[in-house]
Amino acid sequence: MSTEELYEHLGEDQLRRLIAAFYSRVKSDDILKPMYPADDFSGAEYRLKEFLVYRLGGPQRYLEERGHPALRMRHAPFAIDQSARDRWIELMNQAMLEVDLPTEAAEILKSFFDQMATFLINRAG
């Protein structure tokens, strides 16, 4: 199974549950919570879900609504250092365990998230 085939195996509901489990952790996290406007957690959840749906082989709504992901540009205002990256991965791994993803899908997502989170580091420290 490839990254682009995950949507077919997981479906949108499971991705929505994964993102909800992740953001439930972010809302109380001392490193990540300050990066999000307090009144936009639902928007952040929606955008991440739509990005994953698109990136994992589902409908292309993200592109239709927001255009090219331009992830580095969209994340440039946020100070993402190694500790923020590591915390993001930690909370996402916890969320994957909570929603009990199939093992093969979880391994593919871990690799994908590891690469993407590392790519988004934009500050030393």
Side-chain angles (χ1 to χ4, degrees):
M1 179 182 349
S2 71
T3 304
E4 292 78 20
E5 297 171 315
L6 281 176
Y7 180 82
E8 180 181 328
H9 293 278
L10 295 175
E12 194 156 333
D13 187 58
Q14 194 156 36
L15 288 173
R16 182 196 54 73
R17 289 187 304 111
L18 172 64
I19 300 311
F22 171 73
Y23 276 104
S24 73
R25 289 162 169 79
V26 170
K27 288 176 185 176
S28 62
D29 187 78
D30 61 328
I31 294 175
L32 299 182
K33 181 182 177 182
M35 294 186 193
Y36 294 88
D39 62 348
D40 194 34
F41 275 103
S42 62
E45 280 188 44
Y46 175 78
R47 290 185 297 274
L48 180 54
K49 181 196 58 91
E50 288 299 306
F51 171 74
L52 289 178
V53 164
Y54 143 71
R55 187 58 182 78
L56 302 178
Q60 305 294 290
R61 294 182 303 257
Y62 183 91
L63 293 179
E64 294 164 5
E65 293 176 17
R66 296 183 55 87
H68 187 279
L71 295 179
R72 287 191 57 90
M73 179 194 72
R74 292 183 197 272
H75 290 81
F78 310 103
I80 303 171
D81 60 11
Q82 187 69 44
S83 65
R85 177 248 181 247
D86 292 348
R87 183 63 58 87
W88 196 98
I89 292 294
E90 176 186 346
L91 298 184
M92 184 56 79
N93 285 339
Q94 291 172 6
M96 285 194 285
L97 287 171
E98 178 182 325
V99 300
D100 196 27
L101 295 179
T103 303
E104 183 180 6
E107 290 305 315
I108 292 168
L109 278 175
K110 283 180 185 180
S111 177
F112 173 75
F113 289 142
D114 183 67
Q115 293 171 14
M116 295 309 302
T118 301
F119 174 71
L120 293 175
I121 294 173
N122 58 20
R123 305 285 195 288

